[in-house]
Amino acid sequence: MDALLQIIQTFSKSDVSEFTSFINRQKHKKNRKDLELFWLFQKEGALKQEEVLMRLYPDGNRVAYHALRKKLIKHLCDYIFFKQLREDDTAETQIAAYINLSRYLMDY
């Protein structure tokens, strides 16, 4: 089974809603291919690569399709990281957050 599909299938309804907001956090634009790929896997489950490719890129552009998959995986990783960070209220997380803030400010 496709790893991307496996990740998406672990999402609850609230995760799907939050991820949609997360992916649109910078720019809410129409016809986002990465979000379209997410919805394809979310709603229809396992599809053959050729079928997904033809739905998203009727011209059969494999390079664009694989770049899109990488982009979606990055969005998913970022979302899961921020979600875990938000839900983890331990002292270690707070310390790590302060260290990251310190590093950021030192570079600034």
Side-chain angles (χ1 to χ4, degrees), residues 2 4 8 31-42 44-45 47-72:
D2 186 9
L4 182 58
I8 292 170
N31 301 326
R32 289 193 64 139
K33 291 280 189 186
D34 50 357
L35 196 53
E36 192 176 337
L37 178 59
F38 173 78
W39 284 116
L40 265 176
F41 282 137
Q42 176 62 32
E44 298 190 27
L47 296 171
K48 293 184 179 182
Q49 181 178 348
E50 292 299 320
E51 187 177 351
V52 175
L53 178 66
M54 287 314 206
R55 284 192 189 186
L56 296 172
Y57 297 100
D59 62 349
N61 188 344
R62 289 185 185 280
V63 174
Y65 171 68
H66 289 291
L68 180 66
R69 286 179 55 88
K70 287 180 185 179
K71 183 178 180 181
L72 181 56

Side-chain angles (χ1 to χ4, degrees), residues 10-108:
T10 65
F11 280 20
S12 66
K13 287 183 180 184
S14 64
D15 287 331
V16 170
S17 176
E18 287 177 15
F19 179 72
T20 303
S21 297
F22 179 82
I23 204 170
N24 283 314
R25 70 195 178 282
Q26 293 171 332
K27 295 182 225 171
H28 188 77
K29 61 182 186 178
K30 295 179 181 177
N31 301 326
R32 289 193 64 139
K33 291 280 189 186
D34 50 357
L35 196 53
E36 192 176 337
L37 178 59
F38 173 78
W39 284 116
L40 265 176
F41 282 137
Q42 176 62 32
K43 291 180 180 175
E44 298 190 27
L47 296 171
K48 293 184 179 182
Q49 181 178 348
E50 292 299 320
E51 187 177 351
V52 175
L53 178 66
M54 287 314 206
R55 284 192 189 186
L56 296 172
Y57 297 100
D59 62 349
N61 188 344
R62 289 185 185 280
V63 174
Y65 171 68
H66 289 291
L68 180 66
R69 286 179 55 88
K70 287 180 185 179
K71 183 178 180 181
L72 181 56
I73 288 172
K74 180 167 179 6
H75 285 312
L76 289 167
C77 288
D78 290 346
Y79 168 74
I80 291 168
F81 171 75
F82 287 120
K83 180 181 178 199
Q84 292 294 91
L85 193 61
R86 185 177 66 231
E87 292 175 355
D88 187 2
D89 202 21
T90 60
E92 293 87 7
T93 303
Q94 290 298 317
I95 292 168
Y98 291 138
I99 290 171
N100 285 331
L101 177 61
S102 302
R103 285 182 184 159
Y104 171 77
L105 292 173
M106 288 182 70
D107 290 341
Y108 184 67

